[in-house]
């Protein structure tokens, strides 16, 4: 990839513009950037989940009733960046 000359780069760009059209290119670039951000945030979340899982296993975490606490999974709709991050929850108490 490092052996491309400026003329070859211009030729590749011209072919891309002819194939997809100038109006579609910004939209494609936005969706590519959004996908990269989602991938990055999901990779971080998976890494944190793995670390938290290791810590929970080592500490043998239990809730007030004495039962093991399962890690909470949050699912997001495809393309939803804001809700795909892990959410920390305060301790819940039962109201009766």
């Amino acid at each position: 990839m490092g052996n491309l000359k400026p003329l070859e780069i211009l030729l590749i760009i011209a072919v891309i513009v002819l194939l997809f059209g100038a109006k579609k290119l910004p939209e494609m670039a936005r969706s590519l950037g959004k996908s990269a951000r989602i991938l990055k945030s999901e990779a971080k979340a998976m890494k944190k989940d793995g670390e938290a899982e290791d810590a929970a296993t080592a500490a043998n975490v239990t809730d007030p009733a004495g039962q093991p606490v399962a890690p909470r999974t949050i699912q997001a709709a495809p393309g939803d960046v804001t809700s795909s991050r892990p959410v920390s929850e305060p301790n819940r108490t039962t109201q009766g």
Side-chain angles (χ1 to χ4, degrees), residues 29-64:
R30 275 191 296 275
S31 70
L32 182 64
K34 191 174 184 181
S35 299
R37 284 191 302 275
I38 291 171
L39 179 65
K40 185 178 178 182
S41 69
E42 291 298 324
K44 283 183 181 179
M46 287 176 59
K47 186 175 180 182
K48 285 182 181 179
D49 285 346
E51 291 172 357
E53 205 171 272
D54 291 342
T57 303
N60 202 4
V61 177
T62 59
D63 69 356

Side-chain angles (χ1 to χ4, degrees), residues 16 20-37:
I16 290 173
F20 297 107
K23 291 183 180 181
K24 276 284 197 193
L25 289 178
E27 181 182 325
M28 289 172 53
R30 275 191 296 275
S31 70
L32 182 64
K34 191 174 184 181
S35 299
R37 284 191 302 275

Side-chain angles (χ1 to χ4, degrees), residues 76-95:
D80 187 8
V81 180
T82 57
S83 66
S84 63
R85 293 186 180 90
V87 176
S88 58
E89 249 180 54
N91 291 336
R92 295 183 296 188
T93 59
T94 57
Q95 296 177 354

